[in-house]
Amino acid sequence: MAKASITFEDIEQTVSVPAGTRVIEVSEKVGAGIIYGCREGDCGTCMMEVTEGWNNLTEPSVLEEKVLKENMAGRHYRLACQAQILGDCKVKPA
Amino acid sequence: MKNDVDVSSHTNAVEFDDGVYWIGALDPSLRTFDIILTTANGTTYNSFLIRGSEGVAIVDTVKENFSDEFFARLESVADYSEIKVIILNHLEPDHTGALPELMRRAPQAKLYISQRATSMLKALLKPAGGQFEYTTVKTDDSVSLGDRTLRFLHTPFLHWPDTQCTYLEELGVLFSGDIFGCHYCDKRLYNDRVGDFRFSFDYYYAHIMRPFKKHVMDALKLIEPLTLKKIAPTHGPILRERPRRYVTHYRELSTSSLSGEVGVTDKSLIVFYMSSYGNTAKMAEEISEGASIVDGVRVSLYDLEGGETDPFVDLIEEADALLFGSPTINGDAVKPVWDLLSSLAVVNLKTKIGGAFGSYGWSGEAVRMIEDRMRGLKMKIPHEGIRVKLIPTDEELEQCRDFGRSIAESLVGKPQKKAVIDFADLA
Ligand SMILES: Cc1cc2nc3c(=O)[nH]c(=O)nc-3n(C[C@H](O)[C@H](O)[C@H](O)COP(=O)(O)O)c2cc1C
Ligand code: FES
Ligand SMILES: [Fe+2]
Ligand SMILES: [Fe+2]
């Protein structure tokens, strides 16, 4: 399976993952600072900033776009419970 | 001679400022609110009506089963057709219960809510169905009623994500939602008339606002510069007599009493433990030793044997890292640890670092269970906890010191360089 890697800036930890893994699955296991509420893309709690490799995550769904907008997300912000890792990227809690 | 108002007839509105009316409801028999709060004499759901030269605004409504009282008071001072504006300062059901019916009766009225409230509004109005329009507002947006202007303050997370306040500019009245509120029921309505409600005010703050201290500070930055003639919260007395005292009090309550005591730059790491035979205690001591080596970290070591957890809650709120040690007893961590971990709902743990350790005899579940609980509380667990079978060896005590040192180092931003981990190796 194709490999990708994600770096959590707050804990300076890089993890290599199978492409398609959701950020939430990794961040909780390594103890990164991204926090979760509903875990289903509704509450906006898990907002993170993608500092590198913005294009290496799956495109946000219409619903995610909406939640991001409602939570006044900045540029390159995503929901960690929704975004799937496709290539190398770097993130930190929003 | 006192001229007390009395709203216990459940039908009259009370004009507490020029064209500004209280049209809320009394709930004197309520003793438990939202499961977590108790009340000594009930609560009120305060709703307000503002009459301007070009229409009427309603700020917040009441809990659904108090709708009749709310509508009766509303009808005593306005006609539904006059209502131009409905403002919701947050969408919790105790203030939006009468909303669907109000919208049916005043279909021309426009709803004003904060940006974050939109998805909640939809969820709330879903059962009622139908079309509804709303305008989302942010700090410094305002809506005019001719000679009256209502300006919005975005004050998120106090105590719902969508919370805002509304300020009536011409009269200096702040409709503050649950902020500055309390569960206290008194038909005399005003802070200078009702009974002594100070305990209620502090209790409400401690349970509802305290977890959001940082957001309280942000909100106060918006509120403090205002000219405040009156504060009208959604529960408890209307604060008309020296309202600024309550603002000052909120700032005091949100500022840590001993801030700076640990040292402005020092990080605080607390080790809590319980031990029956002294094994976990020995580990706790070594971990503290290890952590103390790191400059800029102040280490405290406490035995939970005393059983009282309350005194620790304040400490924990101020701490940067929390380590819990427990032996495994009957497949679980010991009760004082759970008691402490379950009394932390009132403090914000999100940015804190956690860790666990303990001695065990054969199965050793306690450490992982404590870690899971800390993760559930949104703490970060940078290092896997240490489990020692029965009596710790010198080598294991060395591991404990390393563990303490690593945790302390992660507090002062000296994480050891870590190699790339493979996802498959993660537990
Ligand atoms: C009543 C009792 C129940 C226990 N249950 C367990 C258990 O379920 N699993 C386990 O691993 N150890 C169990 N133990 C063993 C203790 O965890 C072990 O003795 C440990 O070293 C005690 O640490 P302490 O000296 O810090 O109290 C139990 C001990 C006692 C006295
Ligand atoms: S956790 Fe709620 S949106 Fe991701
Ligand atoms: Fe509320
Ligand atoms: Fe409320």
Side-chain angles (χ1 to χ4, degrees), chain B residues 10 70 75 81 132 140 143 147 153 156 189 192 216 233 235 270 283 285 290 308 317 330 333 349 372 400 407 422:
Chain B
H10 303 292
F70 163 73
E75 286 166 20
S81 62
F132 47 87
D140 287 339
V143 52
D147 60 351
L153 285 70
L189 224 53
D192 52 316
V216 173
H235 299 284
I270 306 183
M283 296 175 74
E285 280 159 22
E308 278 280 324
E317 182 169 43
N330 297 332
L349 298 169
D372 284 346
C400 288
I407 297 265
D422 195 277

Side-chain angles (χ1 to χ4, degrees), chain B residues 48-253:
Chain B
F48 305 99
L49 184 148
I50 300 116
R51 177 174 288 284
S53 59
E54 289 168 19
V56 161
I58 306 287
V59 180
D60 291 322
T61 76
V62 298
K63 201 167 166 176
E64 192 178 5
N65 41 344
F66 292 85
S67 298
D68 290 348
E69 185 172 339
F70 163 73
F71 287 119
R73 294 193 204 272
L74 192 161
E75 286 166 20
S76 75
V77 284
D79 205 76
Y80 292 111
S81 62
E82 295 178 290
I83 302 173
K84 190 176 150 191
V85 169
I86 299 171
I87 294 167
L88 301 169
N89 281 335
H90 77 299
L91 297 196
E92 201 171 359
D94 55 332
H95 310 294
T96 51
L99 177 70
E101 180 59 22
L102 178 63
M103 287 168 68
R104 274 199 331 102
R105 296 186 189 193
Q108 76 289 344
K110 273 230 168 64
L111 275 181
Y112 290 80
I113 56 175
S114 77
Q115 181 73 244
R116 282 184 203 247
T118 42
S119 62
M120 286 189 216
L121 182 71
K122 284 170 195 160
L124 203 69
L125 294 182
K126 201 169 39 187
Q131 283 301 106
F132 47 87
E133 276 179 44
Y134 58 87
T135 305
T136 57
V137 289
K138 51 188 190 305
T139 298
D140 287 339
D141 285 348
S142 60
V143 52
S144 171
L145 301 172
D147 60 351
R148 294 284 180 259
T149 313
L150 293 162
R151 177 149 64 84
F152 302 98
L153 285 70
H154 183 59
T155 54
F157 297 105
L158 299 180
H159 62 125
W160 270 29
D162 59 314
T163 305
Q164 60 177 356
C165 296
T166 305
Y167 179 64
L168 174 50
E169 288 190 340
E170 290 77 5
L171 300 176
V173 181
L174 180 69
F175 302 98
S176 58
D178 286 345
I179 308 169
F180 307 122
C182 61
H183 290 309
Y184 191 84
C185 185
D186 195 316
K187 62 190 182 195
R188 293 165 294 186
L189 224 53
Y190 300 122
N191 66 323
D192 52 316
R193 287 283 186 268
V194 300
D196 189 340
F197 67 102
R198 285 176 293 185
F199 72 103
S200 277
F201 190 89
D202 284 5
Y203 177 82
Y204 191 85
Y205 174 90
H207 287 82
I208 299 293
M209 300 296 163
R210 178 173 172 169
F212 308 103
K213 274 186 180 178
K214 202 176 77 52
H215 297 286
V216 173
M217 295 300 225
D218 289 343
L220 290 176
K221 276 186 219 138
L222 296 177
I223 293 169
E224 282 167 345
L226 301 173
T227 301
L228 287 176
K229 300 262 179 57
K230 293 183 180 79
I231 298 176
T234 41
H235 299 284
I238 293 173
L239 311 171
R240 65 173 184 182
E241 162 81 11
R242 294 201 288 153
R244 192 161 289 278
R245 271 188 311 169
Y246 299 90
V247 179
T248 311
H249 191 48
Y250 254 50
R251 181 163 282 280
E252 286 162 4
L253 290 171

Side-chain angles (χ1 to χ4, degrees), chain A residues 3 10-18 21 25-26 28-33 35-36 66 69-72, chain B residues 115-116 118-119 122 138 154 350 375 378 380-382 413 415 417-424 426-427:
Chain A
K3 278 285 187 184
D10 58 331
I11 55 165
E12 290 181 43
Q13 181 64 64
T14 302
V15 187
S16 100
V17 299
T21 309
E25 298 172 57
V26 197
E28 292 209 303
K29 287 197 172 135
V30 296
I35 51 172
Y36 298 90
K66 201 188 91 197
K69 190 170 151 261
E70 275 168 15
N71 288 285
M72 288 171 261
Chain B
Q115 181 73 244
R116 282 184 203 247
T118 42
S119 62
K122 284 170 195 160
K138 51 188 190 305
H154 183 59
K350 278 177 197 164
R375 282 196 196 95
K378 318 259 160 71
K380 283 198 263 180
I381 314 293
K417 259 282 149 264
K418 281 169 278 184
V420 173
I421 322 180
D422 195 277
F423 186 61
L426 289 169

Side-chain angles (χ1 to χ4, degrees), chain A residues 2-78:
Chain A
K3 278 285 187 184
S5 90
I6 177 162
T7 303
F8 296 95
E9 274 191 18
D10 58 331
I11 55 165
E12 290 181 43
Q13 181 64 64
T14 302
V15 187
S16 100
V17 299
T21 309
R22 282 184 198 272
V23 178
I24 181 171
E25 298 172 57
V26 197
S27 86
E28 292 209 303
K29 287 197 172 135
V30 296
I34 301 169
I35 51 172
Y36 298 90
C38 67
R39 296 163 180 275
E40 49 188 33
D42 194 41
C43 68
T45 310
C46 65
M47 213 144 66
M48 62 175 181
E49 185 179 348
V50 186
T51 52
E52 273 174 40
W54 165 254
N55 292 318
N56 291 335
L57 293 166
T58 47
E59 292 267 308
S61 64
V62 177
L63 198 74
E64 184 182 337
E65 293 275 19
K66 201 188 91 197
V67 173
L68 287 168
K69 190 170 151 261
E70 275 168 15
N71 288 285
M72 288 171 261
R75 237 166 81 81
H76 293 185
Y77 277 43
R78 291 294 305 272

